[in-house]
Each structure stands twice: as structure tokens, then as C-alpha cells.
Amino acid sequence: MKMRKRPNILLTGTPGVGKTTLGKELAQRTELTYVNIGDLAQEGQLYEGYDEEYQCPILDEDRVVDELDDKMVEGGVIVDYHGCDLFPERWFHIVFVLRTDNTQLYTRLESRGYTGKKLQDNVQCEIFQTIYEEAMEAYSEEIVHQLSSNTPEDLERNLEQIVQWTEQWMKDHN
Ligand code: DAT
């Protein structure tokens, strides 16, 4: 039996904006599969060194892309990562950049245990809309959308919008 065609969605944005929360719930409500790039790298040890300053391993981007390519070509994947220019442009049908007000983000990252430079730099990344600009550079501007991600109401609205977009995409492509 031939599988119905399904879209690939990228959820990106600064750490703490709510990608994982949104992505996992989206997978529950659609026929799409959720993939967290951080977890994938951890499982496969897809690293190429260690960043002493940020106290975290450095992603081996080529191996991450190789690891996922077959699945992406097949379709139906929600990718969650705090960066977006490492992926092939052809992978995604739509890109969402989640955005959170900086006071709110500060609190979320602090409760995740971030302190000092790591906390400052991540909040600054959001203030400077670094990931949004990266997405606008890496993908066709028409497929890049910003989503407010401050409150539970925002989460629900974003879910409903993306579910609806996914259903429409599948109608149009099957
Ligand atoms: P990310 O995957 O982008 O790092 P997350 O999904 O782990 O972010 O969320 C970080 C924290 O913020 C977590 O405690 C859940 C909370 N959160 C996520 N989306 C939210 C929203 N729309 N409103 C309020 N809190 C939210």
C-alpha cells in the first residue's frame, strides 16, 4: 500500500521558546512523527567535539543530515531544533520560528538551570531575533512564519493552525 504524502515541518527558535511542547502535541494530533535533533544526536553520538564555553557537545551536522535524509524524503516529519541553516532547504514545506518575550524566556531558561553567560546569550539570541533571520536566509521567505509562544492560549492557537495547515496540505497533495 502506498503511504499518503505528508509534509515536513521545521519548528525552530531560541532554546526555551516551546518547540518541544508544540512538536510533541502536534505529533499526537496529526499523522506526523516528531524528531528532536538534540535527542537524535545524543542517541547516535553525532558529535564532533565539545564546546567548553557552553558546556555542551558540538553537533556533527553532516552526520545528522545523513542520518535523517531517507526519513525526510519519505515525508511526515516534524523537526525540532534551535538552529535551521544546517538542514537542506529541500527538506521542509513550512518553517515556524517560535518567539517568546524576553522576560518570560529568561524565567523559563533559569528554571531549566541555565545561568551566567549561557542564560544571557540565549536571551540575547531571542532579542536579536537571530533564529528568525537565519530562517529567512536559509529558506524561501514565503514558507517562514513566526509564532508567538508566551501563553497556553498561544500554544493551543498554534496547534490548531498547524493542524489545519497540515490537513489542507494533505488534501492538496493526495
Ligand atoms: P524548547 O523545546 O523550545 O526548548 P520547551 O518546549 O522545552 O522549549 O518549553 C520550555 C518551557 O516553556 C517548558 O517549561 C514549557 C514552557 N512552555 C512552552 N510553550 C509554552 C507556552 N506557549 N506558554 C507557556 N509556557 C510554555
Side-chain angles (χ1 to χ4, degrees):
M1 193 185 81
K2 196 169 180 295
M3 194 73 166
R4 294 213 297 157
K5 279 185 75 176
R6 293 168 302 161
N8 292 324
I9 298 174
L10 176 60
L11 301 180
T12 189
T14 309
V17 293
K19 303 178 294 295
T20 306
T21 308
L22 178 65
K24 286 185 172 168
E25 184 59 31
L26 204 54
Q28 301 271 330
R29 298 192 194 186
T30 61
E31 292 173 43
L32 310 181
T33 309
Y34 170 79
V35 174
N36 183 301
I37 297 297
D39 293 348
L40 182 87
Q42 164 73 33
E43 282 156 23
Q45 289 293 299
L46 308 174
Y47 300 130
E48 58 172 11
Y50 192 80
D51 187 326
E52 294 295 343
E53 190 178 358
Y54 289 101
Q55 303 275 305
C56 64
I58 300 162
L59 212 62
D60 184 334
E61 299 185 352
D62 291 342
R63 282 172 67 208
V64 167
V65 169
D66 279 352
E67 180 83 17
L68 263 184
D69 196 53
D70 288 349
K71 208 176 158 70
M72 298 305 294
V73 169
E74 193 178 305
V77 185
I78 301 162
V79 170
D80 165 353
Y81 192 57
H82 58 261
C84 56
D85 62 3
L86 64 157
F87 308 117
E89 189 184 354
R90 65 181 162 81
W91 274 8
F92 298 105
H93 301 99
I94 198 159
V95 175
F96 294 104
V97 184
L98 276 62
R99 303 299 309 271
T100 301
D101 294 341
N102 39 60
T103 47
Q104 176 97 242
L105 186 66
Y106 190 97
T107 312
R108 288 187 200 170
L109 291 176
E110 217 179 15
S111 58
R112 187 182 273 188
Y114 284 25
T115 54
K117 184 170 165 54
K118 189 168 179 175
L119 177 58
Q120 304 294 336
D121 285 0
N122 278 291
V123 172
Q124 203 162 83
C125 169
E126 184 61 8
I127 293 170
F128 291 159
Q129 51 182 34
T130 311
I131 310 291
Y132 177 61
E133 281 171 18
E134 187 180 313
M136 292 291 274
E137 287 278 309
Y139 301 93
S140 164
E141 295 187 5
E142 307 89 74
I143 71 158
V144 178
H145 305 274
Q146 298 196 76
L147 296 174
S148 288
S149 181
N150 292 304
T151 64
E153 293 73 29
D154 288 340
L155 172 63
E156 188 54 38
R157 193 193 53 243
N158 294 335
L159 280 164
E160 284 167 14
Q161 280 184 10
I162 303 174
V163 167
Q164 202 175 20
W165 177 88
T166 303
E167 285 169 359
Q168 190 59 50
W169 191 97
M170 290 183 52
K171 273 189 199 136
D172 294 344
H173 293 81
N174 287 288

